[in-house]
C-alpha cells in the first residue's frame, strides 16, 4: 500500500492507522520515493524502535550512506557527546529565561496582525514571522542580516515555495557559511544568546564544542526550529478557530498545547530508521539493511495509550511522541512548547473571538516532507 495514506481529512488521524494497530501493527508500505519500508503504528512499539541501538537514523527519500553529518542522522558516541554538551545550552531552565522576551515578541506581532484589519492570515502574518523572530533572538542574528537569513532558510527548506534542488543546495551553502561567520563573531564578542551558550558550554569533563560543531548545531536549530513550530502554531490556532468549545484560559494553556501537539497531523514527521543488524519490532523480524518508519501521529492516537484519542483531554498523563523518543528526542522541545504557548496566548488575547474566515472545507493544504503537511493559509476574523 502507498504511504502516506491518501483521501484522509488533513486535521484527523487517518483511520487506516487504527486498523493496522489492531490487525498488522508492523506492516509493509511503499513510499512515494520508491522505498519499501516497515511501518510501525503502535505507541509501545514506536518507543521500543526509537530507543533501540540496533537501528540508526535514516531520512526517508535519501540513500542510506551510513553518514552522520547532520545531528538528525548522527549516531553513536559522537552524537551522544554533541547532545550532552548542547543540552546544557538548551536546558528547560535556560529556555524559561527566554519567556519574557518571547511573550513580548508574540504580543507585538499579534497586535500587528490584528491592526492590519480582517481577514488576516495567521500563517504568513503571525506564525512564520514570530518563529523567525524567536530564532533571530535565540541566535543573536544582527538586524541587518535577518532578511538574508530568512531568504536562505526559505530556500533551504523549500517548504513555502516550489522546491528546486539546485537552489536549495545553494541556499543551504549560504546559510551554513553565514552561521559559521556568526559563530566566529560570537567567539570574538560573546552575547546573551544560544550561540554564545553553545560556545561556552562544557560537559562534566570540561569538553567543549569546536566551531564546526557549534555551526552544525546552529544549522540544526534553524531547520528544526522554523517550519515545524510555525506549522504547529498555525494549526493550533486553526483548531481553536473551528472548535470554539476548546478551553482558552491562560492557566490551561500548557495542557492545551500538549493535547494539540499530540493531535497535530502535520508538524511531526515520521521518524525513519534502518536496521544495522537483524532485530525484531512487535514480534516481526526486521533484517539488517531494511528501512523502518515510526508513525508518530499513529502512536499519538493509539487507544492502548490514549483512550478516546480524538478528544482534547487536559487531564491526560503526558507522553506524546510528537518530539520523538530516545537518543534523538528533540533537543528544542522546551523551546517549541514555549513558542506555542506564547503564540496562542498572545493571539487569543488580541482576538478572543477569533474564528475561521472561510469554511474549513475551502482551506488549501500543502504536502511538505513525507508526512509533514500544513494549511496554505489560516484566514481568521474576530
Amino acid at each position: 500500500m502507498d504511504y502516506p495514506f491518501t483521501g484522509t481529512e488533513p486535521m484527523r488521524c487517518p483511520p487506516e492507522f487504527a486498523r493496522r494497530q489492531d490487525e498488522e501493527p508492523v506492516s509493509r508500505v511503499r513510499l512515494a520515493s520508491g522505498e519499501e519500508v516497515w511501518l510501525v503504528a503502535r505507541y509501545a512499539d514506536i518507543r521500543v524502535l526509537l530507543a533501540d541501538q540496533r537501528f540508526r537514523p535514516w531520512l526517508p527519500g535519501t540513500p542510506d550512506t551510513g553518514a552522520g553529518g547532520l545531528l538528525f542522522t548522527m549516531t553513536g558516541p559522537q552524537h551522544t557527546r554533541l547532545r550532552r554538551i548542547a543540552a546544557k545550552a538548551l536546558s528547560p531552565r535556560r529556555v524559561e529565561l527566554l519567556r519574557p522576551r518571547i511573550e513580548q515578541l508574540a504580543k507585538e506581532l499579534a497586535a500587528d496582525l490584528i491592526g492590519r484589519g480582517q481577514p488576516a492570515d495567521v500563517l504568513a502574518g503571525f506564525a512564520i514571522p514570530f518563529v523567525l523572530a524567536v530564532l533571530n533572538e535565540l541566535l543573536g542574528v544582527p538586524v541587518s542580516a535577518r532578511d538574508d537569513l530568512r531568504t536562505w532558510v526559505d530556500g533551504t527548506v523549500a517548504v513555502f515555495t516550489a522546491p528546486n534542488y539546485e537552489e536549495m543546495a545553494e541556499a543551504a551553502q549560504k546559510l551554513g557559511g553565514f552561521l559559521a561567520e556568526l559563530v566566529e563573531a560570537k567567539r570574538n564578542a560573546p552575547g546573551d544568546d544560544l550561540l554564545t551558550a553553545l560556545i561556552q558550554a562544557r560537559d562534566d569533563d570540561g569538553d567543549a564544542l569546536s566551531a564546526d560543531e557549534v555551526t552544525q548545531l546552529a544549522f540544526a536549530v534553524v531547520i528544526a526550529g522554523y517550519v515545524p513550530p510555525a506549522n504547529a502554531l498555525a494549526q493550533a490556532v486553526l483548531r481553536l478557530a473551528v472548535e470554539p468549545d476548546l478551553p482558552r484560559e491562560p492557566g490551561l494553556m500548557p495542557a492545551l498545547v500538549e493535547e494539540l501537539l499530540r493531535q497535530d497531523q502535520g508538524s511531526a514527521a515520521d521518524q525513519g530508521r534502518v536496521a544495522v543488524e537483524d532485530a525484531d519490532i512487535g514480534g516481526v523480524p526486521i533484517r539488517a539493511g531494511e528501512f523502518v518508519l515510526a508513525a508518530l501521529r499513529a502512536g499519538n492516537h493509539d487507544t492502548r495509550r490514549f483512550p478516546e484519542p480524538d478528544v482534547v483531554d487536559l487531564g491526560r498523563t503526558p507522553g506524546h511522541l510528537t518530539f520523538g523518543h530516545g537518543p534523538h528526542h528533540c533537543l528544542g522541545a522546551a523551546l517549541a512548547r514555549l513558542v506555542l504557548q506564547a503564540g496562542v496566548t498572545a493571539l487569543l488575547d488580541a482576538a478572543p473571538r477569533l474564528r475561521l474566515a472561510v469554511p474549513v472545507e475551502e482551506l488549501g493544504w500543502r504536502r511538505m516532507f513525507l508526512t509533514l503537511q500544513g494549511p496554505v493559509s489560516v484566514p481568521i476574523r474576530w
Side-chain angles (χ1 to χ4, degrees), residues 2 11 45 47 49 56 83 90-91 119 131 136 168 179 203-204 223 236 328 366-367:
D2 291 341
M11 294 175 65
D45 291 337
R47 283 176 59 92
L49 169 66
R56 71 163 175 262
R83 280 189 64 97
L90 267 172
S91 67
V131 168
N136 286 327
M168 289 169 66
L179 292 174
D203 66 9
D204 294 338
I223 299 303
H328 282 80
R366 60 163 66 90
R367 176 72 61 188

Side-chain angles (χ1 to χ4, degrees), residues 303-327:
T303 57
R304 295 157 188 78
R305 174 61 175 82
F306 302 106
E308 297 185 280
D310 291 330
V311 174
V312 173
D313 179 0
L314 302 193
R316 287 191 196 275
T317 302
H320 65 71
L321 297 167
T322 301
F323 295 117
H325 177 68

